[in-house]
Amino acid sequence: MGLLSAPAAVDKREYWGFSLYDWANSGYVTTVGTVLFAPYLTSVAETAACGYVGTTDKPCHTNLDVLGLGLSPGSLAFYVVTVATLVSALFLPVVGAIADRMARKKLLMCGFAWTGALAACCMVFVGGGRWELGALLLLIGNLCLGSSLVVYDSILIDIAGPDERDDVSSRAWAFGYLGGFILLAINLAVVTAHDALGLSQGTAVRLSLLSAGLWWGAFTFIPFTKLRNRPPVLVEPVRGNIVRQSFGQLSATLKHMRTYPVTLLFLIAYLFFNDGIQTVISVSSTYGEKQLGFETQVLIATILLVQFVAFFGALAFGRFARRFGTKLTIMGGLVVWMLIVIAGFLLPAEQIAPFLAMGVAIGIVLGGTQALSRSAFSQLIPKGREAEYFSLYQAGERGTSWLGTLVFGLVHQITGSYRPAIVALGLFFLIGLALLSRVDMRRGITEAGNTQPTLV
């Protein structure tokens, strides 16, 4: 069996359809969410506030006026992410409840994906001092991404049995990193050679943002054609407004969550450590540019390295899970994450080698911890509520992950430095690790009424 071939018990057509949605949305996650948009939006906001783009030698300290509040341009992108996560926390459970009642689940997933891709394409128009447009498009893109992932994650349970999910989830994440690597490599070439191409650096960045939207939208057609629709397990008839009914079902699910205490404990643990992961990802390019003084080309090259290493890291974590169990493998990854944020605090400015070394460490654990968390949670979900529970997984993530970006933004605004902000994120990994150590996976799988896998 090849590294990326489908497990024997999984339909190959659906395996490729599932895996290639990770490939599709990673173009947006990497180019827009991780590398280019946060520092670009910061520069646009600085231009609006100060009339110039801030540098390490001449920073911009003039605040933006937003509804009477003075916001630092350097913190704007993180505040936008904070708002997006809070809105997602309210919206995604409705998406999940609707998806569990739909016979055309893949259409719902792809519809959100194509809407988010359109928002990403429109980022090509963000320039000058139009930071408001950039903030709005980032909000729409992130909301659509989260909504599509709610449905996408639930499809994992449809196509893979308990013993195949770690492999399928890990290999799909690996495809995502490979796709993100290829698109980012193209964008690196465009941004690096912008003079030779007759483009300004800002124009090159905007074209790269456009490419991410096109990538996401075009490759979403593959899962749309290869995944199969299935009749919903929740078969109670829909009466009246489906959105209103979905809110009612969400309320019932939250009330019954105490029936599954292990599932709830795992979810809480995940919310903490994933908050740390997502915040590190979202702030890394801004930290590298504004605190360490690296050019955009260096940041893209570093993320390329992370993507390349993460491709193998995700596959390796799948193998570790088969040998040591999913829970123990995730816990080992969290220890590495704590060491990473400590190293980030100590990184010297304008020295590339230590920065690249940290990128390698991030790549090793990045996809593996997230892929295995997804497959582990799938084992703890009661039958028929896959999308609804994954909406709690995604919405809960967004309902708490605003804490990471908020803390990072506030600490920067108070101290004027990103260094104390980056090391503060270690607390999220520590709390998540402590809670995860108390999760009894075997008990949780039994309580949910699911088949026990060979190893957990």
Side-chain angles (χ1 to χ4, degrees), residues 159-221:
I159 69 171
D163 286 319
E164 289 78 40
R165 287 180 199 160
D166 284 343
D167 275 350
V168 173
S169 184
S170 297
R171 295 176 190 186
W173 276 94
F175 268 109
Y177 288 118
L178 183 60
F181 172 84
I182 292 173
L183 181 62
L184 202 56
I186 295 170
N187 289 333
L188 172 62
V190 172
V191 173
T192 302
H194 65 88
D195 284 334
L197 296 173
L199 304 172
S200 67
Q201 181 165 312
T203 300
V205 170
R206 290 196 299 275
L207 290 176
S208 296
L209 299 174
L210 173 63
S211 74
L214 294 174
W215 181 282
W216 186 8
F219 282 108
T220 294
F221 280 98

Side-chain angles (χ1 to χ4, degrees), residues 31 72 100-101 144 207 223 259 274 288 290 315 325 342 353 387 399 412 419 441:
T31 294
S72 166
D100 282 329
R101 290 163 171 75
C144 288
L207 290 176
T259 308
N274 188 65
K290 301 299 181 180
L315 296 176
I342 294 172
H412 168 264
R419 288 188 185 275
M441 289 292 297

Side-chain angles (χ1 to χ4, degrees), residues 74-386:
S75 299
L76 174 65
F78 311 118
Y79 291 146
V80 173
V81 173
T82 297
V83 173
T85 57
L86 289 174
V87 173
S88 295
L90 299 174
F91 182 67
L92 297 189
V94 182
V95 174
I98 292 173
D100 282 329
R101 290 163 171 75
M102 288 189 66
R104 303 181 68 186
K105 188 183 290 187
K106 70 175 183 180
L107 179 61
L108 184 64
M109 179 191 82
C110 295
F112 279 117
W114 287 322
T115 303
L118 178 61
C121 289
C122 290
M123 289 177 181
V124 72
F125 301 114
V126 178
R130 295 190 296 273
W131 59 268
E132 298 95 338
L133 175 61
L136 176 62
L137 293 174
L138 182 61
L139 178 67
I140 294 172
N142 283 5
L143 183 60
C144 288
L145 175 67
S147 299
S148 70
L149 290 177
V150 164
V151 189
Y152 173 64
D153 288 343
S154 73
I155 292 173
L156 173 64
I157 300 174
D158 294 336
I159 69 171
D163 286 319
E164 289 78 40
R165 287 180 199 160
D166 284 343
D167 275 350
V168 173
S169 184
S170 297
R171 295 176 190 186
W173 276 94
F175 268 109
Y177 288 118
L178 183 60
F181 172 84
I182 292 173
L183 181 62
L184 202 56
I186 295 170
N187 289 333
L188 172 62
V190 172
V191 173
T192 302
H194 65 88
D195 284 334
L197 296 173
L199 304 172
S200 67
Q201 181 165 312
T203 300
V205 170
R206 290 196 299 275
L207 290 176
S208 296
L209 299 174
L210 173 63
S211 74
L214 294 174
W215 181 282
W216 186 8
F219 282 108
T220 294
F221 280 98
I222 298 177
F224 182 72
T225 57
K226 292 186 176 295
L227 291 173
R228 291 191 294 114
N229 287 311
R230 291 169 170 82
V233 177
L234 287 175
V235 294
E236 62 265 30
V238 176
R239 296 186 178 92
N241 189 301
I242 190 171
V243 174
R244 183 164 58 250
Q245 184 193 40
S246 299
F247 270 117
Q249 184 59 50
L250 170 62
S251 176
T253 302
L254 292 173
K255 290 179 182 177
H256 288 104
M257 276 292 287
R258 59 177 174 268
T259 308
Y260 308 102
V262 178
T263 307
L264 180 60
L265 181 59
F266 181 92
L267 179 61
I268 294 172
Y270 171 77
L271 299 184
F272 275 100
F273 69 73
N274 188 65
D275 190 351
I277 294 173
Q278 295 299 328
T279 306
V280 170
I281 293 170
S282 64
V283 306
S284 58
S285 57
T286 302
Y287 187 79
E289 179 178 329
K290 301 299 181 180
Q291 184 66 54
L292 302 180
F294 294 120
E295 297 292 330
T296 300
Q297 292 89 336
V298 173
L299 298 177
I300 297 180
T302 303
I303 296 299
L304 277 175
L305 176 64
V306 171
Q307 294 289 115
F308 181 75
V309 175
F311 170 77
F312 297 100
L315 296 176
F317 264 63
R319 290 179 177 270
F320 292 152
R322 289 200 299 272
R323 181 171 181 181
F324 302 109
T326 307
K327 175 184 167 181
L328 187 60
T329 304
I330 296 172
M331 292 176 66
L334 297 182
V335 173
V336 177
W337 274 111
M338 286 189 285
L339 297 175
I340 286 171
V341 295
I342 294 172
F345 173 78
L346 299 173
L347 281 180
E350 299 180 354
Q351 293 191 25
I352 295 179
F355 190 62
L356 294 179
M358 189 177 75
V360 170
I362 290 175
I364 291 172
V365 295
L366 178 57
T369 47
Q370 293 176 310
L372 294 182
S373 295
R374 176 170 66 184
S375 58
F377 186 70
S378 74
Q379 309 281 5
L380 303 172
I381 300 175
K383 293 289 185 184
R385 299 188 182 276
E386 291 84 2

Side-chain angles (χ1 to χ4, degrees), residues 388-408:
E388 193 172 346
Y389 268 65
F390 268 117
S391 74
L392 294 177
Y393 184 81
Q394 291 283 343
E397 167 193 322
R398 284 157 173 76
T400 58
S401 63
W402 61 271
L403 287 171
T405 53
L406 180 61
V407 166
F408 194 87

